[in-house]
């Protein structure tokens, strides 16, 4: 599975790129825009083709799920600790983020998947993840219920290593949005997996 996470800040023609990536086989898009208002989020979602709403995952403004028939929600580590996700468990698909395999191994099966980061040194956050040991830690994975999605520093040159390490998927962020041609990078990553 390939996921794309939106950049925090708006990017020119972002929703055009998103629609094109979905047409090219993007599995899920995580809308992570921590600083935008509810109205801006509404505006953003309406620019995405309605056919792809089931593949959108909200990180904020969860109430918009009902308005747009979006049933996937992502919760940060802090939201997990504060039980903010609890009302969503029964009807919705929920995911979360972890930063080490010990935490991942303790997740209950109500979580469909968890991002684990940083897998490689980050592309968008310079210097972040340089000493990450997650690739080695993955061998201690013992949670059969929650899919593990690698995040951090993933691009077309190393995406195959993610799957060789037995992750269930890869989440792309910096490689896509730091590029002048997001769609081209997405296709390269997809093709790297297909070959």
């Amino acid at each position: 599975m390939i996921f794309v996470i939106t950049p925090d800040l708006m990017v020119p023609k972002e929703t055009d790129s998103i629609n094109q990536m979905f047409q090219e086989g993007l599995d899920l898009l995580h809308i992570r825009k921590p600083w935008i208002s509810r109205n801006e989020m509404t505006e953003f979602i309406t620019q995405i083709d309605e056919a792809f709403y089931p593949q959108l995952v909200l990180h904020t403004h969860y109430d918009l799920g009902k308005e747009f028939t979006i049933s996937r929600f992502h919760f940060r580590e802090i939201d997990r600790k504060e039980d903010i996700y609890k009302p969503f468990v029964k009807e919705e698909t929920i995911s979360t983020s972890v930063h080490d395999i010990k935490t991942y191994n303790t997740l209950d099966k109500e979580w469909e998947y968890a991002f684990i980061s940083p897998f490689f040194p980050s592309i968008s956050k310079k210097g972040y993840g340089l000493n990450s040991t997650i690739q080695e830690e993955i061998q201690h994975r013992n949670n059969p219920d929650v899919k593990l999605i690698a995040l951090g520093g993933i691009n077309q040159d190393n995406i195959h290593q993610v799957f060789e390490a037995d992750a269930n998927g890869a989440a792309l962020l910096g490689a896509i949005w730091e590029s002048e041609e997001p769609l081209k990078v997405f296709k390269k990553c997809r093709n790297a997996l297909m070959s």
Side-chain angles (χ1 to χ4, degrees):
M1 290 184 86
I2 297 188
F3 300 64
V4 167
I5 302 173
T6 63
D8 289 358
L9 304 172
M10 296 295 191
V11 166
K13 295 189 172 27
E14 187 174 344
T15 49
D16 293 349
S17 297
I18 288 167
N19 284 319
Q20 291 167 335
M21 285 187 270
F22 273 128
Q23 286 156 4
E24 291 293 334
L26 173 61
D27 292 303
L28 293 175
L29 176 83
H30 276 249
I31 303 177
R32 186 177 166 275
K33 299 260 178 217
W35 298 295
I36 69 173
S37 69
R38 191 177 185 280
N39 287 346
E40 289 167 317
M41 179 68 96
T42 301
E43 177 65 23
F44 184 83
I45 295 170
T46 54
Q47 290 172 32
I48 296 172
D49 187 326
E50 214 172 305
F52 305 124
Y53 288 179
Q55 292 160 272
L56 300 180
V57 185
L58 296 178
H59 281 230
T60 53
H61 304 295
Y62 301 120
D63 59 310
L64 289 174
K66 290 210 179 355
E67 227 166 282
F68 290 99
T69 58
I70 296 170
S71 62
R72 296 176 166 277
F73 303 98
H74 189 86
F75 298 91
R76 299 168 307 163
E77 215 149 4
I78 189 162
D79 301 330
R80 239 187 11 255
K81 291 181 178 132
E82 293 174 6
D83 291 343
I84 289 169
Y85 68 93
K86 289 285 191 202
F88 297 88
V89 170
K90 289 213 174 14
E91 292 141 44
E92 320 299 353
T93 302
I94 59 171
S95 56
T96 190
S97 301
V98 298
H99 300 285
D100 61 80
I101 209 75
K102 278 194 189 99
T103 308
Y104 164 78
N105 284 335
T106 65
L107 292 174
D108 293 327
K109 62 175 175 278
E110 61 207 9
W111 301 101
E112 187 186 328
Y113 57 88
F115 288 147
I116 189 162
S117 67
F119 201 80
F120 298 110
S122 175
I123 297 167
S124 51
K125 296 180 194 164
K126 302 287 176 248
Y128 179 65
L130 290 175
N131 305 315
S132 173
T133 56
I134 286 171
Q135 280 187 74
E136 297 80 64
E137 285 180 39
I138 282 190
Q139 60 194 351
H140 303 294
R141 172 186 182 181
N142 63 15
N143 186 335
D145 300 315
V146 183
K147 291 186 191 94
L148 185 71
I149 310 301
L151 166 64
I154 300 167
N155 60 32
Q156 70 262 20
D157 299 324
N158 62 21
I159 193 166
H160 59 277
Q161 289 174 248
V162 167
F163 293 92
E164 284 163 13
D166 249 2
N168 303 102
L172 305 171
L173 176 60
I176 299 286
W177 303 113
E178 303 266 317
S179 158
E180 296 292 309
E181 299 179 81
L183 181 63
K184 204 181 219 172
V185 174
F186 174 77
K187 284 160 97 169
K188 280 184 179 167
C189 289
R190 244 189 120 245
N191 294 342
L193 283 186
M194 301 299 184
S195 59

